[in-house]
């Protein structure tokens, strides 16, 4: 358990934002934390979709249940949060 | 580039308000600034004449890049959003094309310099960067010490769409969400709960196009064990020209992460900036413009 800052680059939003998560969080939990600062504020909700996480420039998403500590994500790395089909 | 606007505008406003002392003071400062600005051309000529064209080019490229960011933030938002619609003579993009691009191109080529390597990219930014900054200063209005005009009434949006085709499909989409929250009384959703990531060069949030044209991107740089974040290749390039000058500076976000801002939340950041309740920025028109959307909800789909 350790606080871990990441940079959220949320699809359809206009700005990068600081989001505090935890090393024990799963990618779905991290996506929810990032969505809190974008969806419903400047990004229209898409309730029929899920939000997947990937590193900037990467093609593949992290597994949804992967814990942050199990990945190679570095503190203050820019992560892309993308709407995907459920 | 920025000299005439604040100084002449301030002097004029002060005179109109009857404060002739302040008006004279500001006018005097302006003439001094003008003289400083006049030094640029001859200084560059001397550098070039003495075989230092590369140095002259580098100085110009760095200066224009850094000035562009501030000009974009201050003048771009002022011209296309804060200026009442009936007083707008041209868009910021049109102004930049006519008064900056054309004149600077001529001046630089006359001096024997090349255009900065990023010239085309900078011109491309005329289409979107100041729109992103406008959304930033309005949404993060509690972090400012003045009230921000939204400038997105239905009529304003028609004007923006005419001047910047595609505005409604990009920035308009994000404003739609904000306006929907304002119309339906969800004020808490119109305020930020975290900090934007700030560019390690410009100190302005890293932002670009939302909605259908989404192109937001971080331009990171690992340098001596620290990762820096930039708004564009241009900002990153400026840093690389003189890293010793810039490397130790900490942005507000860096200070936040270093534990210098307590409590570590937006309220702590406001306290750090010495912004008390009552001083922090809000909507410049007290959200009265939202009434137009309440009256005709279909307007937002303009």
């Amino acid at each position: 358990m350790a606080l871990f800052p990441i940079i959220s680059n949320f699809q359809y939003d206009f700005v990068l934002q600081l989001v505090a998560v935890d090393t024990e969080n799963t990618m779905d939990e991290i996506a929810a934390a990032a969505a809190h600062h974008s969806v419903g504020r400047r990004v229209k909700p898409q309730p029929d979709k899920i939000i997947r996480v990937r590193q900037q420039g990467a093609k593949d998403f992290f597994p949804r249940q992967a814990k942050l500590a199990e990945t190679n994500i570095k503190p203050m790395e820019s992560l892309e949060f993308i709407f995907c089909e459920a | 580039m920025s000299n005439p606007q604040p100084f002449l505008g301030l002097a004029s406003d002060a005179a109109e308000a009857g404060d002739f002392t302040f008006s004279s003071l500001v006018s005097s400062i302006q003439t001094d600034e003008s003289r400083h600005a006049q030094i640029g051309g001859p200084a560059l000529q001397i550098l070039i004449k003495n075989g230092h064209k590369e140095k002259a080019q580098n100085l110009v490229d760095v200066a224009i890049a850094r000035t562009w960011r501030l000009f974009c933030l201050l003048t771009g938002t002022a011209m296309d959003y804060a200026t009442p619609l009936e007083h707008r003579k041209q868009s910021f993009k049109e102004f930049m094309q006519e008064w900056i691009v054309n004149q600077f191109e001529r001046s630089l080529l006359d001096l024997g310099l090349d255009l900065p390597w990023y010239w085309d990219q900078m011109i491309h930014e005329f289409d979107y960067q100041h729109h992103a900054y406008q959304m930033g200063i309005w949404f993060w209005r509690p972090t400012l010490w003045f009230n921000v005009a939204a400038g997105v009434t239905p009529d304003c949006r028609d004007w923006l769409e005419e001047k910047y085709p595609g505005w409604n499909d990009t920035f308009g989409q994000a404003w739609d969400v904000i306006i929907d929250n304002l119309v339906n009384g969800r004020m808490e959703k119109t305020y930020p709960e975290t900090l934007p990531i700030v560019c390690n060069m410009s100190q302005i949030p890293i932002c670009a196009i939302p909605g259908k044209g989404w192109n937001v991107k971080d331009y990171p740089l690992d340098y001596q064990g620290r990762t820096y974040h930039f708004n564009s290749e241009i900002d990153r390039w400026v840093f690389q020209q003189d890293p010793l000058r810039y490397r130790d500076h900490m942005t507000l976000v860096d200070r936040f992460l270093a534990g210098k801002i307590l409590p570590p939340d937006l309220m702590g950041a406001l306290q750090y900036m010495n912004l008390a309740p009552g001083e922090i920025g809000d909507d410049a028109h007290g959200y009265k413009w939202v009434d137009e959307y309440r009256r005709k909800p279909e307007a937002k789909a303009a």
Side-chain angles (χ1 to χ4, degrees), chain A residues 5-20 36-45 54 56 74-78 80-82, chain B residues 132 135-136 139-140 173-174 177-178 181 188-189 191-197 205-211 214 216-218 220 222 229 253 256-257:
Chain A
I6 56 121
I7 296 176
S8 165
N9 186 8
F10 210 97
Q11 189 178 27
Y12 307 131
D13 205 351
F14 84 108
V15 66
L16 300 184
Q17 297 182 101
L18 178 66
V19 178
H36 177 76
H37 298 288
S38 292
V39 177
R41 290 180 201 268
R42 296 169 304 269
V43 176
K44 199 174 168 186
R54 68 185 179 199
Q56 178 170 292
K74 293 180 291 187
M76 289 300 283
E77 182 169 344
S78 289
E80 293 177 346
F81 295 87
I82 308 290
Chain B
M135 185 162 283
F139 205 90
W140 268 266
Q173 290 209 329
V177 179
I178 294 171
N181 285 331
E188 75 284 359
K189 289 280 188 186
Y191 289 108
E193 288 184 46
T194 187
L195 292 172
I197 300 300
I206 297 174
C207 54
I209 304 175
W214 183 59
V216 182
K217 197 177 158 193
D218 183 16
D222 289 326
H229 302 274
V253 175
F256 189 83
L257 293 168

Side-chain angles (χ1 to χ4, degrees), chain B residues 74-263:
Chain B
L74 300 172
T75 308
T77 59
M79 284 186 74
D80 283 356
Y81 291 90
T83 301
L85 202 52
E86 62 272 25
H87 294 303
R88 289 183 207 165
K89 293 189 172 60
Q90 58 184 171
S91 70
F92 178 60
K93 180 183 176 180
E94 290 163 344
F95 169 83
M96 287 301 295
Q97 286 284 4
E98 181 176 348
W99 296 101
I100 305 297
V101 171
N102 293 349
Q103 292 199 15
F104 273 54
E105 279 184 2
R106 201 171 54 232
S107 306
L108 292 174
L109 298 177
D110 283 353
L111 275 168
L113 291 172
D114 302 317
L115 297 179
W117 63 269
Y118 53 75
W119 203 241
D120 290 343
Q121 189 182 328
M122 184 184 79
I123 290 169
H124 177 54
E125 288 185 10
F126 297 172
D127 279 318
Y128 67 86
Q129 191 66 67
H130 65 297
H131 299 305
Y133 288 163
Q134 168 68 13
M135 185 162 283
I137 61 173
W138 192 87
F139 205 90
W140 268 266
R141 57 203 182 285
T143 66
L144 301 178
W145 64 98
F146 58 91
N147 294 333
V148 185
V152 288
T153 64
D155 287 346
C156 288
R157 293 179 63 150
D158 288 345
W159 183 88
L160 286 161
E161 182 66 33
E162 181 198 325
K163 298 293 184 185
Y164 302 90
W167 188 93
N168 274 310
D169 270 344
T170 52
F171 293 93
Q173 290 209 329
W175 278 108
D176 281 345
V177 179
I178 294 171
I179 290 165
D180 192 53
N181 285 331
L182 291 169
V183 166
N184 291 292
R186 295 186 293 265
M187 285 302 288
E188 75 284 359
K189 289 280 188 186
T190 73
Y191 289 108
E193 288 184 46
T194 187
L195 292 172
I197 300 300
V198 177
C199 173
N200 277 106
M201 177 46 58
S202 69
Q203 313 302 315
I204 305 171
I206 297 174
C207 54
I209 304 175
K212 287 183 185 167
W214 183 59
N215 71 343
V216 182
K217 197 177 158 193
D218 183 16
Y219 291 83
L221 174 72
D222 289 326
Y223 176 78
Q224 294 186 345
R226 182 176 161 191
T227 303
Y228 297 81
H229 302 274
F230 299 98
N231 190 71
S232 71
E233 282 174 36
I234 306 173
D235 300 271
R236 185 165 59 187
W237 174 83
V238 172
F239 181 94
Q240 288 173 309
Q241 300 314 295
D242 196 357
L244 294 183
R245 178 175 179 182
Y246 307 117
R247 66 177 180 184
D248 295 326
H249 183 267
M250 294 174 83
T251 68
L252 187 73
V253 175
D254 293 330
R255 290 174 218 192
F256 189 83
L257 293 168
K260 294 182 184 221
I261 295 175
L262 295 169

